[in-house]
Amino acid sequence: MESSRPSNSPAPPTYPDDDPRISFYSANQENSPSRPQSQKHSTVLPATPFPTGVEPPSRTNSSGSSSDQVFLAPQTPDPSSSKPISQVSSPRVPAALSPPSLRESVLSPSSHLSQVVITPHEGEDEDAFHVRRTYAELEAVGVKGDGYAEGVERTRARLGSNRDSGLRALEALGDIADKKRDLTPREIEILASLDRYGFFSSPSHDRSLLLCSAPLSKRLSRVSTTTDSSPTAPPLKQQVLPQSSEKEIQRALKWARMLEPIVRDSGGNVIQWGIKASKRRKFRERVYKGIPDCWRSAAWEMMINKMSGAGWAEVERLSQEYEDYLQQPSTYDIQIDLDVPRTISGHIMFRTRYGQGQRSLFSVLHSFSLRCSECGYCQGMGSIAATLLCYLDPKRVYPALVHLHNSYGMHAIFKPGFPGLLEAIYVQERIIEQMMPGVYETFKQQMISTTSYATKWYITLFANSVPFHTQLRLWDAFFLEGPDIFIVVAVAIVWAPTDYITSKSASFETILSLLSSFFVPEDDNALLEWIEKVMSDKKARASMQQWRANWRQLVATGQDGKALL
Amino acid sequence: MSKQFQFKLVLLGESAVGKSSLVLRFVKDQFDDYRESTIGAAFLTQTVTLDDQTTVKFEIWDTAGQERYKSLAPMYYRNANCAVVVYDITQSASLEKARSWVRELQRQADPSIVIALCGNKTDLNARRQVSQEEAKKYADEEGLMWGETSAKTGEGVSDIFTAIAKKLPLTAPPSRPGANRASASGTQAGVDLNRNPVSTEQTDGCNC
């Protein structure tokens, strides 16, 4: 099994990766940057996914054979992650997956299911073990209709012991027939309805607010006027959709000329990219213009590794650490399991209960929760990991999360008390005080504390606060510049509707509702250009550093309690 | 002549018991099977009409359930007039968590706060772990309002908010605890919403 996938996949280049473990990042991309999806499938899987002498389940051989199922997450056991925990022995239904009443009756010898042996650690909570075991076992057998079906809940509510629910659960396990069959018209319809990033539909938001481009054409500077008119909140009109694919293809070609392979794996696939010396000065500008989606995974990893000073060896070491942690129990497993099914569940990869995406998300969050004893698992990490999983395989998402934790200030954001959040908010307030004194005064009068609306911005890095395409653009800049970027985004969100906030008709309720909105930029480019101007303003950046230092001083001297709005 | 009263309401309870879903049902009469977890807190408003003359507007703070976010909770329940402490009837551990929230509110929140204990997910009655008797008994002992709801079907949702609205002291003068908007001092800024409940009297009902 050199290649588990055909290379003539019909997937359009901008569709989401169907299997996060097979990242197109590592493919031979440089020659065909505009068709990365067809390249990604050439990723080499380890030749021996099962212990020698044990016959792999037959579906292993069929998983890649039907190119029309490119969106079905493959149910091939992940050799790398299941190897240490699973002992493939006689074909049986895994213990956690079959209810007691059925356990014996359905264990026919002809069952194709492999048995995963996973044992509880000493002192591991029974329910937590049930969660960990269920994900591990399903990693080996897969679930049916992954991407389409809702799936069957097995952990949040344990399967009932009655025969019907047990049969339903067994029905939902992956099998060969499901892999071999053609897509139904309904499934084809579902695929056709996805947006370019893999979302079925945008999640419903209580309030959406258009971030108008007009104010963003004006550079951040001190505005002292308070409008006496009473403007109403801007209506949500049609936003400018992300750039046309024609333009993106042109950009992708430029990126192909700008980047060069640095490290290849044993099969010759590029696993790390660098910037050609002659193109270095173009890089920043091109990141702000938006990384072509087919280059995003390569560029993100490249920028993250640069910021953290990590070489390829470090990434490999962390990938191994990820695998090792999968064998250990985490006290956060139950909480993670509660959050996994409700994290970007409108995305095809994360929709099916215990499907490929949910299993990857669980695994990454589980291992990451063991990484830092102070941070553990914090709600909000899920949206970040899920976004990364859209672009990187789990073994690469974990190192990326570690680098975000260590080098992008996320440790201080997640750890108890959220000290990094409060620091960011302090800096945000100083900028608003300096540049928009009218707004600052309004916040003060209305007693609108910044924490009450900006907390989720900093903890989820704007996931679920802006459209996915906007979030990606912000993250492009974040990976390049570091955590200051999100303070500037926060300021931009306050900057755009300044007139509304300072108008006489605005109240506590209307302002807070406005700032709690889902923000839809009229034009992503206008927002990114505004942010870029602030980020390249040396004076502004120096002030931000100074304010960060001031905040730390306030904390050190116990004066932080009254320093925020 | 109609009266509109405004109150600050906070939702507390363990993760995934359905706090945000209750609010979504109450405010928009909708339900999502998989609602993203709340980070920090979410702010919403909804008005309950008690009779021709009286409406109660709730300023709702829906909080995050994970223990990590507990450090932010005081800023949301401080000066709250009412709290809905939610548990999941299919998870007995969530009632324990609810008890600890009630204790914290009794110690830290405004003494006049109206607390309602709410058992959610009655649509999953087949998997019930918390009996009505047990919850009711506890609520009675602590002097809490109590009710069961299903955010999924809508059962009991408006009832509990309406019951709270009726229980709030609508005859109270505007100077309710914390209603003095200028009294920002003496509270911890930064973790302080310090929003004051305002009981406003409006002449006539048209405020559109």
Side-chain angles (χ1 to χ4, degrees):
Chain A
M1 13 193 303
E2 271 298 294
S3 165
S4 71
R5 290 282 178 165
S7 60
N8 59 345
S9 148
T14 49
Y15 271 69
D17 197 348
D18 57 317
D19 181 351
R21 291 173 306 196
I22 307 175
S23 164
F24 60 74
Y25 170 85
S26 52
N28 295 315
Q29 231 171 357
E30 74 272 33
N31 296 325
S32 181
S34 61
R35 297 203 57 211
Q37 301 287 325
S38 64
Q39 297 287 333
K40 70 185 174 182
H41 301 308
S42 61
T43 305
V44 175
L45 286 174
T48 319
F50 289 89
T52 346
V54 178
E55 194 177 317
S58 52
R59 94 199 142 277
T60 304
N61 304 323
S62 67
S63 68
S65 61
S66 53
S67 57
D68 56 345
Q69 291 193 7
V70 67
F71 284 99
L72 284 172
Q75 288 152 353
T76 311
D78 181 355
S80 47
S81 67
S82 61
K83 191 168 52 187
I85 44 167
S86 26
Q87 293 291 320
V88 178
S89 57
S90 61
R92 284 168 54 114
V93 176
L97 305 184
S98 74
S101 64
L102 286 162
R103 236 166 241 169
E104 296 316 314
S105 61
V106 294
L107 302 182
S108 69
S110 61
S111 169
H112 67 282
L113 296 171
S114 58
Q115 186 189 30
V116 177
V117 176
I118 169 167
T119 49
H121 283 244
E122 202 180 322
E124 184 174 8
D125 176 82
E126 192 194 342
D127 289 331
F129 173 66
H130 175 70
V131 166
R132 191 166 66 91
R133 181 172 66 171
T134 302
Y135 279 91
E137 289 178 348
L138 288 168
E139 185 65 16
V141 301
V143 295
K144 200 176 278 184
D146 195 344
Y148 306 98
E150 192 182 323
V152 172
E153 179 59 56
R154 298 161 192 272
T155 44
R156 210 161 162 168
R158 290 202 179 188
L159 293 172
S161 56
N162 72 65
R163 195 171 172 83
D164 277 352
S165 70
L167 283 174
R168 266 201 308 279
L170 276 178
E171 279 274 290
L173 296 178
D175 64 25
I176 318 167
D178 194 49
K179 288 304 296 183
K180 283 186 171 167
R181 71 181 172 82
D182 284 336
L183 293 177
T184 65
R186 173 69 191 137
E187 287 167 340
I188 290 168
E189 191 189 316
I190 289 173
L191 291 181
S193 73
L194 296 178
D195 73 7
R196 68 174 298 193
Y197 299 104
F199 286 91
F200 293 98
S201 57
S202 304
S204 67
H205 295 283
D206 303 324
R207 284 171 300 254
S208 286
L209 183 84
L210 189 77
L211 273 190
C212 294
S213 297
L216 294 171
S217 64
K218 201 174 145 230
R219 206 185 174 102
L220 177 64
S221 55
R222 188 180 170 90
V223 283
S224 49
T225 49
T226 303
T227 44
D228 50 4
S229 61
S230 30
T232 49
L236 183 56
K237 62 182 179 204
Q238 189 63 46
Q239 72 199 99
V240 177
L241 290 169
Q243 62 208 9
S244 69
S245 55
E246 185 104 354
K247 195 165 185 182
E248 186 164 351
I249 289 169
Q250 293 305 313
R251 285 199 176 142
L253 291 170
K254 286 185 181 174
W255 275 75
R257 292 192 291 269
M258 179 167 66
L259 302 189
E260 60 185 351
I262 300 293
V263 183
R264 289 175 186 272
D265 67 13
S266 55
N269 303 300
V270 181
I271 46 181
Q272 202 178 9
W273 295 85
I275 311 165
K276 283 182 191 159
S278 59
K279 305 279 188 185
R280 293 236 163 95
R281 35 183 203 92
K282 300 226 178 229
F283 186 72
R284 183 174 186 274
E285 179 194 333
R286 286 182 178 171
V287 169
Y288 273 103
K289 280 187 174 173
I291 300 172
D293 205 53
C294 60
W295 281 101
R296 212 159 236 142
S297 50
W300 280 7
E301 257 195 332
M302 191 175 76
M303 292 189 286
I304 291 170
N305 290 340
K306 182 161 184 283
M307 179 72 83
S308 58
W312 178 243
E314 174 69 357
V315 174
E316 283 198 307
R317 194 187 66 73
L318 289 169
S319 294
Q320 185 55 50
E321 183 178 287
Y322 162 71
E323 303 280 2
D324 295 343
Y325 280 145
L326 284 179
Q327 318 318 317
Q328 294 177 26
S330 165
T331 53
Y332 292 99
D333 280 347
I334 293 174
Q335 180 69 53
I336 293 169
D337 180 52
L338 286 176
D339 294 335
V340 160
R342 50 178 174 157
T343 303
I344 62 171
S345 56
H347 189 284
I348 188 164
M349 199 162 84
F350 299 98
R351 163 160 150 150
T352 302
R353 192 70 179 107
Y354 312 104
Q356 174 61 60
Q358 291 198 9
R359 295 197 303 273
S360 298
L361 184 58
F362 177 83
S363 298
V364 165
L365 293 172
H366 163 92
S367 287
F368 190 66
S369 75
L370 293 164
R371 165 79 196 186
C372 169
S373 59
E374 274 190 286
C375 293
Y377 167 74
C378 173
Q379 280 186 329
M381 288 177 177
S383 321
I384 296 173
T387 304
L388 289 171
L389 280 167
C390 292
Y391 289 89
L392 300 169
D393 69 58
K395 284 174 72 172
R396 308 278 277 266
V397 168
Y398 178 83
L401 283 174
V402 171
H403 293 323
L404 291 185
H405 173 272
N406 294 343
S407 308
Y408 285 81
M410 295 309 285
H411 171 70
I413 296 277
F414 291 134
K415 82 175 193 178
F418 312 105
L421 166 74
L422 299 178
E423 178 179 308
I425 282 174
Y426 178 77
V427 177
Q428 178 189 332
E429 289 182 0
R430 296 288 72 71
I431 297 174
I432 292 171
E433 184 179 30
Q434 191 178 69
M435 298 300 188
M436 297 169 256
V439 171
Y440 188 80
E441 200 46 44
T442 303
F443 286 162
K444 216 170 163 178
Q445 280 170 9
Q446 299 283 353
M447 294 179 183
I448 294 171
S449 99
T450 309
T451 345
S452 60
Y453 60 88
T455 297
K456 66 176 177 179
W457 298 349
Y458 290 107
I459 289 180
T460 65
L461 310 183
F462 283 89
N464 305 322
S465 295
V466 294
F468 193 68
H469 56 79
T470 308
Q471 184 199 339
L472 296 174
R473 293 287 301 273
L474 299 178
W475 283 31
D476 290 347
F478 170 56
F479 293 138
L480 177 75
E481 305 270 25
D484 278 2
I485 204 91
F486 290 121
I487 296 174
V488 177
V489 178
V491 171
I493 286 177
V494 177
W495 173 263
T498 295
D499 288 353
Y500 179 74
I501 294 170
T502 55
S503 73
K504 291 208 162 62
S505 60
S507 66
F508 171 86
E509 185 191 332
T510 58
I511 295 171
L512 205 51
S513 297
L514 176 106
L515 293 171
S516 305
S517 299
F518 180 79
F519 301 97
V520 182
E522 185 181 357
D523 177 7
D524 285 349
N525 293 322
L527 175 62
L528 267 292
E529 280 162 26
W530 191 90
I531 293 166
E532 192 278 329
K533 282 189 195 117
V534 180
M535 291 300 287
S536 59
D537 179 340
K538 289 200 173 69
K539 210 176 140 201
R541 295 297 296 282
S543 298
M544 289 171 78
Q545 286 319 303
Q546 186 55 51
W547 285 320
R548 282 187 186 276
N550 292 352
W551 172 254
R552 285 170 197 179
Q553 186 60 32
L554 289 171
V555 172
T557 54
Q559 299 174 75
D560 53 315
K562 293 185 178 179
L564 297 179
L565 279 172
Chain B
M1 165 118 176
S2 72
K3 288 180 179 174
Q4 188 183 49
F5 296 88
Q6 195 158 326
F7 295 101
K8 177 176 167 183
L9 181 150
V10 63
L11 276 103
L12 299 164
E14 194 175 38
S15 188
V17 296
K19 297 180 292 299
S20 302
S21 292
L22 273 176
V23 176
L24 184 66
R25 176 62 75 190
F26 176 52
V27 173
K28 298 188 83 180
D29 199 19
Q30 290 172 0
F31 181 78
D32 283 346
D33 276 310
Y34 293 113
R35 184 110 178 122
E36 294 267 350
S37 58
T38 305
I39 305 299
F43 173 77
L44 296 99
T45 58
Q46 176 64 306
T47 302
V48 171
T49 304
L50 291 184
D51 56 51
D52 291 348
Q53 302 298 311
T54 317
T55 56
V56 169
K57 183 172 197 173
F58 286 114
E59 265 174 20
I60 303 166
W61 288 96
D62 172 26
T63 65
Q66 196 197 5
E67 187 72 20
R68 181 72 44 93
Y69 289 90
K70 208 174 164 182
S71 63
L72 298 178
M75 69 182 268
Y76 300 109
Y77 65 64
R78 183 175 303 130
N79 297 326
N81 307 88
C82 39
V84 179
V85 179
V86 187
Y87 64 95
D88 172 352
I89 64 157
T90 73
Q91 303 283 341
S92 48
S94 69
L95 181 64
E96 284 314 304
K97 187 72 181 186
R99 288 175 195 262
S100 95
W101 275 119
V102 169
R103 280 194 295 275
E104 177 159 342
L105 288 172
Q106 288 168 340
R107 276 202 313 270
Q108 310 283 350
D110 190 281
S112 64
I113 191 167
V114 171
I115 304 174
L117 181 69
C118 173
N120 192 33
K121 307 197 187 180
T122 53
D123 51 291
L124 300 177
N125 199 40
R127 299 212 307 260
R128 178 187 285 274
Q129 282 183 0
V130 180
S131 71
Q132 296 194 339
E133 294 70 32
E134 179 189 4
K136 180 84 170 61
K137 180 165 172 282
Y138 165 66
D140 288 345
E141 283 166 10
E142 298 295 333
L144 316 173
M145 300 173 70
W146 172 80
E148 285 192 342
T149 54
S150 166
K152 187 166 186 166
T153 66
E155 184 187 9
V157 176
S158 60
D159 301 340
I160 204 158
F161 287 97
T162 307
I164 293 167
K166 285 180 177 160
K167 181 116 182 207
L168 287 163
L170 301 186
T171 51
S175 60
R176 293 182 42 75
N180 164 11
R181 298 187 73 149
S183 68
S185 58
T187 55
Q188 293 172 37
V191 283
D192 185 13
L193 273 182
N194 207 0
R195 170 64 181 154
N196 313 298
V198 190
S199 305
T200 49
E201 284 198 27
Q202 294 186 339
T203 39
D204 210 322
C206 185
N207 58 346
C208 49

